[in-house]
């Protein structure tokens, strides 16, 4: 009996042990099964279609709360003056387990993507004065053992060895080529500001790239160009301001291309390699807010464009704004997707705009799949102006940001704030979306906001995820002669001509992306101010066309807030400028209340989901929080946001972008925040996600800036 009991007890123990072993082996098998294969993020936007979508699902709704910091890479040493200098908008790329990124000072680096350890670094300004411009990313290309990173810094396009970080000496001149190439001789282009803030796109052995230029009368032409990646030689040029005999030439005055600039693609491009086509959006013509010298529709400004990628020949165009008077550039790359639309799959181009609209076009023809109306708009412009009599109004999807400012839209966060903005409202023009700028103060949406350069993401179900800014602006124009007589000294006159349009006659800027210059002499040395004026920084273009004496006069005016002595009467005119518009912006700034909050009712920033099969919204929620307002009992407002979303097959949307310095994960089905992390500085960039050695990572550049503290860290998150 006892022996029988012991035997049965032994057998039971064996069975229990077997079950336990099976359980652990099953768990281990399950873990192994859940480990993703290596997955790169090889292109700005995730892929050449710009989808910002990842098939990875190791991090998902069930475990996202477990995300922890996996590694941090400091791309610049700590510096006391970074609150003035530093900002990062870079979305890094990952190829073959190596992460490539750019620092605030435009130093390129390569890291081991699993632990953030540096492999190499390259400083384009090691042997020269820095010319700091924004860099939103870089490009990888390979042909056999020849592997290259292409990126821009200042006015140069560089090619460096992706394995060593050394310049590819066969490319251009010792590894770099000048981005002034292909621009018209009559512009004295070498003296004008030309850079590339967003990376180009690769088609075979060709790099196709846009440019950033000035937005005034001294703007270089914004032609889209292609460079041979192996040699750095210019391959083709597409004239966004047409020349005689080219399509669109008759939409401008005769020979307008000889003096009008801009119409540039600054926001990036996408490609359909099967069709051999490249897609991009263009900006407004120079000069912003006044088009007296450019009567007509002004093709190809404010257009969604499709070109043959090999030759640069026009395939089709779709103009979103005719004769732009509101700086309504197309702000982000098109998103190429395949949508089940009206019962059949359609290859489409999806483009979001500054004024909060979404166009979905057939990829082969450029025809809108949703209905769009041309409606009559006001034409009472400034003397010499030629406002176009109609503009486009898409019927679907509905706008994702505010369109017209009415009294009921005035901020309600406090009676004091409301009354402050009400005074501005009562003294301004605010009756419509397409009011031509005038010498009266005009309140409008769409100068910036709506979609920003971070773009949008689309998942495998055709759901588009778009973040937005609701930002109200005011603009007030003045004649050039009035401005020059108002500012009589040399420094004041030059400041009014070149700087006041953004920073304002009072030098106060807007406190965020346009800094306050009052007291700048106590924060920066004269040499530093000179460097910024000469070479530009972030959104501010270079003013290298100014002489040394003219820059010194501006510096003297900025560094001495009291009136400067009259040096000479001024009607300053640089003859190398293409033209000087008769009117310019006396005031151009965002509308804030006395506390510095937007002057409109919240939400001030949102994230939304749109089913592109139907054009219907699934949800839209505030993005970001002013915690001090929440503590006052005000519902979450959202914040200004710069950077875009990434969507994964784990059911998540990752986005930073907000002024509260957080990165968040949202449930893509509901818009609910399911995870958040406070960054050391705001992540004004778009995150990426990739997998290496069985682990999924999410990385964001936390560079801050825009009136907040700055940083230079790249932060990776993963499951423990």
């Amino acid at each position: 009996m006892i022996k029988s009991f012991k035997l049965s007890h032994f057998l039971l123990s064996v069975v229990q042990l077997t079950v336990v072993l099976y359980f652990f082996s099953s768990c281990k098998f399950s873990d192994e099964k859940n480990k993703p294969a290596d997955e790169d993020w090889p292109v700005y936007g995730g892929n050449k279609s710009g989808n910002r979508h990842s098939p990875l699902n190791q991090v998902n709704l069930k475990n996202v709360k477990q995300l922890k910091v996996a590694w941090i890479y400091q791309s610049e040493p700590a510096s006391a003056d970074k609150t003035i200098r530093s900002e990062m908008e870079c979305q890094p790329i990952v190829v073959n387990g190596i992460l490539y990124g750019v620092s605030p000072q435009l130093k390129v680096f390569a890291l081991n993507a699993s632990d953030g350890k540096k492999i190499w670094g390259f400083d384009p300004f090691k042997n020269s004065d820095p010319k700091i411009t924004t860099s939103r990313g870089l490009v990888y290309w390979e042909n056999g053992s020849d592997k290259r990173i292409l990126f821009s810094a200042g006015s140069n396009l560089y090619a460096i060895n992706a394995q060593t970080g050394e310049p590819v000496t066969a490319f251009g001149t010792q590894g770099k080529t000048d981005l002034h190439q292909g621009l018209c001789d009559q512009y004295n282009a070498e003296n004008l500001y030309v850079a590339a803030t967003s990376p180009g796109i690769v088609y075979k052995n060709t790099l196709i790239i846009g440019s950033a230029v000035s937005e005034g009368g001294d703007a270089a032409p914004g032609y889209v160009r292609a460079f041979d990646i192996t040699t750095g030689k210019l391959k083709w040029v597409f004239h966004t301001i047409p020349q005689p005999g080219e399509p669109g030439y008759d939409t401008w005055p005769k020979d307008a291309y000889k003096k009008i600039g801009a119409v540039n693609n600054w926001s990036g491009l996408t490609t359909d390699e099967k069709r051999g086509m490249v897609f991009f959006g263009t900006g407004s013509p120079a000069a912003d807010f006044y088009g007296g010298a450019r009567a007509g529709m002004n093709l190809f400004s404010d257009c969604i464009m499709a070109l043959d990628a090999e030759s640069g020949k026009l395939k089709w165009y779709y103009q979103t704004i005719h004769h732009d008077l509101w700086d309504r550039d197309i702000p982000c790359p098109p998103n190429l997707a395949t949508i089940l639309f009206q019962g059949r799959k359609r290859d489409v181009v999806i483009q979001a705009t500054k004024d909060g609209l979404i166009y979905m076009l057939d990829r082969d023809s450029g025809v809108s799949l949703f209905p769009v109306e041309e409606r009559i708009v006001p034409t009472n412009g400034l003397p010499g102006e030629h406002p176009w009599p109609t503009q486009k109004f898409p019927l679907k999807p509905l706008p994702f940001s505010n369109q017209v400012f009415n009294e009921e839209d005035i901020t309600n966060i406090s009676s004091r704030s409301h009354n402050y903005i009400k005074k501005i409202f009562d003294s301004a023009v605010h009756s419509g979306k397409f009011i031509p700028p005038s010498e009266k103060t005009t309140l409008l949406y769409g100068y910036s906001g709506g979609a920003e350069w971070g773009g949008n993401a689309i998942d495998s179900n055709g759901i588009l995820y778009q973040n937005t800014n609701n930002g109200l602006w005011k603009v007030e124009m003045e004649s050039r002669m009035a401005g020059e007589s108002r500012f009589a000294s040399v420094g004041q006159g030059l400041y009014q001509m070149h700087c006041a349009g953004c920073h304002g006659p009072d030098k106060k800027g807007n406190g965020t992306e346009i800094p306050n210059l009052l007291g700048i002499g106590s924060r920066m040395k004269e040499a530093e101010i000179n460097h910024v004026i000469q070479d530009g920084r972030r959104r501010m273009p270079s003013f290298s066309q100014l002489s040394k004496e003219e820059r010194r006069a501006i510096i003297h005016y900025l560094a001495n807030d009291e009136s400067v002595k009259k040096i000479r009467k001024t009607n300053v005119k640089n003859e190398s400028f293409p033209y000087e518009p008769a009117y310019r912006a006396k005031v151009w700034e965002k509308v804030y209340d006395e506390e510095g909050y937007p002057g409109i009712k919240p939400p001030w920033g949102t994230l939304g989901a749109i089913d592109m099969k139907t054009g219907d919204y699934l949800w839209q929620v505030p993005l970001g929080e002013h915690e001090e307002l929440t503590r006052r009992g005000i519902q979450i407002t959202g914040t200004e946001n710069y950077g875009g979303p990434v969507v994964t097959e784990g059911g998540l949307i990752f986005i930073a972008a907000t002024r509260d310095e957080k990165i968040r994960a949202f449930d893509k089905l509901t818009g609910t925040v399911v995870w958040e992390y406070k960054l050391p500085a705001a992540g004004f960039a778009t995150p990426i996600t990739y997998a290496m050695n069985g682990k999924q990572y999410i990385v964001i550049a936390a560079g801050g800036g825009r009136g907040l503290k700055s940083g230079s860290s790249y932060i990776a998150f993963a499951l423990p």
Side-chain angles (χ1 to χ4, degrees):
M1 184 73 176
I2 295 175
K3 288 182 179 180
S4 174
F5 173 79
K6 288 183 177 179
L7 179 61
S8 63
H9 183 71
F10 173 75
L11 291 173
L12 182 60
S13 299
V14 170
V15 171
Q16 289 174 328
L17 180 61
T18 303
V19 170
V20 170
L21 290 173
Y22 177 78
F23 173 77
F24 279 109
S25 66
S26 297
C27 289
K28 184 178 180 182
F29 175 75
S30 176
D31 286 346
E32 291 295 333
K33 185 178 180 180
N34 196 36
K35 285 186 176 180
D38 287 359
E39 180 78 25
D40 287 341
W41 189 271
V43 182
Y44 181 69
N47 53 38
K48 291 187 178 182
S49 295
N51 298 149
R52 294 172 190 79
H53 168 262
S54 171
L56 295 172
N57 63 4
Q58 184 184 59
V59 180
N60 53 55
L61 284 167
K62 293 181 179 180
N63 60 25
V64 65
K65 290 184 183 298
Q66 301 174 36
L67 277 180
K68 303 291 183 185
V69 173
W71 53 259
I72 298 176
Y73 173 71
Q74 297 292 346
S75 63
E76 295 280 359
S79 175
D81 62 356
K82 294 192 105 188
T83 53
I84 298 172
R85 293 176 174 273
S86 181
E87 182 179 316
M88 286 194 299
E89 297 179 357
C90 179
Q91 183 189 62
I93 59 175
V94 174
V95 183
N96 299 326
I98 299 176
L99 183 145
Y100 303 93
V102 182
S103 80
Q105 303 300 312
L106 303 189
K107 298 169 186 172
V108 179
F109 57 82
L111 311 178
N112 183 310
S114 65
D115 59 17
K117 297 292 178 63
K118 185 175 179 179
I119 299 171
W120 55 254
F122 174 79
D123 183 356
F125 306 123
K126 183 178 180 180
N127 299 313
S128 63
D129 293 331
K131 298 181 185 298
I132 304 302
T133 51
T134 297
S135 176
R136 299 191 181 99
L138 24 69
V139 175
Y140 178 88
W141 171 89
E142 68 175 33
N143 183 10
S145 60
D146 189 356
K147 306 176 192 296
R148 302 185 183 187
I149 293 293
L150 298 111
F151 76 102
S152 60
S155 61
N156 288 312
L157 174 66
Y158 291 80
I160 55 180
N161 186 305
Q163 296 167 304
T164 66
E166 295 296 323
V168 179
T169 56
F171 181 88
T173 303
Q174 297 299 308
K176 65 181 180 181
T177 192
D178 193 339
L179 286 170
H180 288 92
Q181 292 179 75
L183 306 182
C184 296
D185 294 338
Q186 64 267 22
Y187 283 88
N188 297 315
E190 69 278 3
N191 296 321
L192 298 180
Y193 172 71
V194 178
T197 52
S198 296
I201 193 83
V202 168
Y203 177 74
K204 297 182 179 178
N205 293 333
T206 301
L207 179 75
I208 306 166
I209 194 166
S211 60
V213 299
S214 169
E215 300 190 20
D218 59 343
Y223 301 155
V224 174
R225 290 160 293 165
F227 291 87
D228 186 303
I229 294 177
T230 58
T231 66
K233 291 182 178 179
L234 188 66
K235 187 172 180 180
W236 56 254
V237 178
F238 178 79
H239 297 131
T240 54
I241 303 171
Q243 299 186 7
E246 296 177 339
Y249 180 73
D250 59 352
T251 66
W252 300 78
K254 182 181 177 182
D255 292 342
Y257 73 97
K258 292 183 178 180
K259 64 177 180 178
I260 304 294
V263 191
N264 53 312
N265 165 253
W266 58 264
S267 56
L269 317 91
T270 51
T271 59
D272 181 331
E273 293 193 320
K274 181 179 178 181
R275 286 175 168 83
M277 296 170 69
V278 60
F279 302 86
F280 57 89
T282 57
S284 59
D288 287 345
F289 317 132
Y290 184 75
R294 51 176 173 88
M297 291 179 72
N298 301 155
L299 296 176
F300 296 98
S301 73
D302 304 270
C303 283
I304 307 164
M305 305 289 301
L307 307 182
D308 179 271
E310 188 64 39
S311 66
K313 300 295 184 183
L314 177 66
K315 289 285 192 178
W316 55 257
Y317 69 89
Y318 187 94
Q319 190 172 44
T320 60
I321 300 287
H322 311 311
H323 189 83
D324 190 353
L325 299 175
W326 307 276
D327 189 27
R328 288 182 178 150
D329 304 348
I330 291 179
C332 56
N335 197 321
L336 309 184
T338 300
I339 302 292
L340 185 63
F341 185 77
Q342 296 181 348
R344 69 186 183 97
K345 288 186 176 182
R346 300 288 294 269
D347 290 341
V348 299
V349 179
I350 299 172
Q351 182 66 67
T353 69
K354 256 188 187 182
D355 52 341
L357 305 177
I358 293 176
Y359 294 91
M360 186 165 77
L361 312 179
D362 179 89
R363 204 179 301 175
D364 291 311
S365 66
V367 173
S368 177
L369 300 187
F370 289 116
V372 178
E373 291 182 354
E374 285 271 350
R375 298 178 187 169
I376 295 173
V377 296
T379 56
N380 53 330
L382 288 162
E385 183 54 271
H386 318 275
W388 197 256
T390 64
Q391 295 290 350
K392 283 186 169 65
F393 289 80
L395 303 187
K396 263 200 167 186
L398 294 175
F400 58 84
S401 66
N402 297 356
Q403 297 293 292
V404 179
F405 186 58
N406 297 311
E407 185 171 352
E408 59 267 27
D409 302 315
I410 295 174
T411 178
N412 60 354
I413 64 170
S414 71
S415 58
R416 181 181 176 184
S417 293
H418 182 276
N419 294 337
Y420 181 83
I421 300 299
K422 180 66 163 54
K423 290 180 182 178
I424 297 174
F425 177 87
D426 289 340
S427 63
V429 179
H430 42 71
S431 56
K433 176 179 176 179
F434 289 103
I435 306 168
S438 72
E439 292 177 294
K440 297 179 180 179
T441 298
T442 304
L443 303 178
L444 285 172
Y445 294 107
Y447 287 125
S448 72
E452 301 283 358
W453 45 263
N456 42 51
I458 194 164
D459 68 13
S460 53
N461 296 313
I463 311 301
L464 187 78
Y465 304 94
Q466 177 71 61
N467 58 307
T468 183
N469 280 326
N470 284 315
L472 182 69
W473 288 71
K474 63 179 177 181
V475 64
E476 181 182 329
M477 304 295 287
E478 70 173 359
S479 72
R480 179 169 292 276
M481 291 301 295
E484 288 170 2
S485 63
R486 200 159 49 80
F487 280 76
S489 76
V490 173
Q492 288 174 311
L494 287 166
Y495 175 87
Q496 172 63 12
M497 180 177 293
H498 301 292
C499 315
C502 290
H503 295 279
D506 58 5
K507 310 180 193 175
K508 290 183 179 179
N510 62 17
T512 53
E513 69 271 15
I514 302 174
N516 186 335
L517 300 181
L518 289 173
I520 191 70
S522 64
R523 304 195 301 273
M524 295 178 70
K525 297 177 181 178
E526 290 193 11
E528 293 178 301
I529 301 173
N530 180 69
H531 165 64
V532 175
I533 295 173
Q534 182 174 0
D535 298 327
R537 177 174 296 162
R538 298 189 290 276
R539 182 169 181 168
M540 177 177 162
S542 163
F543 287 90
S544 58
Q545 72 274 9
L546 296 179
S547 68
K548 182 178 179 181
E549 290 72 23
E550 288 170 330
R551 293 197 304 275
R552 286 182 63 188
I554 293 174
I555 293 167
H556 182 64
Y557 174 63
L558 290 175
N560 297 274
D561 288 336
E562 298 179 3
S563 298
V564 297
K565 294 180 180 180
K566 292 183 180 181
I567 303 172
R568 60 178 170 88
K569 297 266 185 174
T570 184
N571 184 8
V572 179
K573 182 176 180 181
N574 188 329
E575 297 295 343
S576 68
F577 289 7
Y579 84 105
E580 293 182 356
Y583 288 83
R584 62 192 173 201
K586 176 183 176 182
V587 176
W588 177 52
E589 61 189 25
K590 288 182 180 176
V591 179
Y592 294 103
D593 68 12
E594 288 179 298
E595 294 184 86
Y597 298 110
I600 61 173
K601 283 181 180 177
W604 302 322
T606 65
L607 177 66
I610 306 167
D611 187 343
M612 296 307 297
K613 299 186 291 296
T614 63
D616 296 326
Y617 284 76
L618 302 179
W619 51 262
Q620 191 174 47
V621 298
L623 175 62
E625 179 182 11
H626 291 279
E627 293 179 347
E628 70 281 6
L629 295 182
T630 307
R631 288 192 293 269
R632 283 162 49 178
I634 297 170
Q635 192 173 5
I636 291 177
T637 60
T639 76
E640 283 184 285
N641 53 93
Y642 296 92
V646 168
V647 63
T648 75
E649 287 301 302
L652 299 168
I653 305 161
F654 290 98
I655 186 168
T658 54
R659 293 185 64 82
D660 58 17
E661 302 178 330
K662 292 182 179 180
I663 182 172
R664 294 173 168 88
F666 288 79
D667 182 334
K668 75 173 189 176
L669 296 180
T670 65
T672 303
V673 176
V674 292
W675 171 82
E676 64 182 25
Y677 180 88
K678 180 83 169 182
L679 299 166
F684 293 140
T686 302
I688 68 169
T689 186
Y690 59 93
M692 186 175 176
N693 300 330
K695 181 167 287 199
Q696 181 182 353
Y697 296 86
I698 297 94
V699 173
I700 183 70
R706 294 184 177 270
L708 303 176
K709 68 176 180 292
S710 294
S712 64
S713 56
Y714 283 74
I715 303 177
F717 300 90
L719 296 174

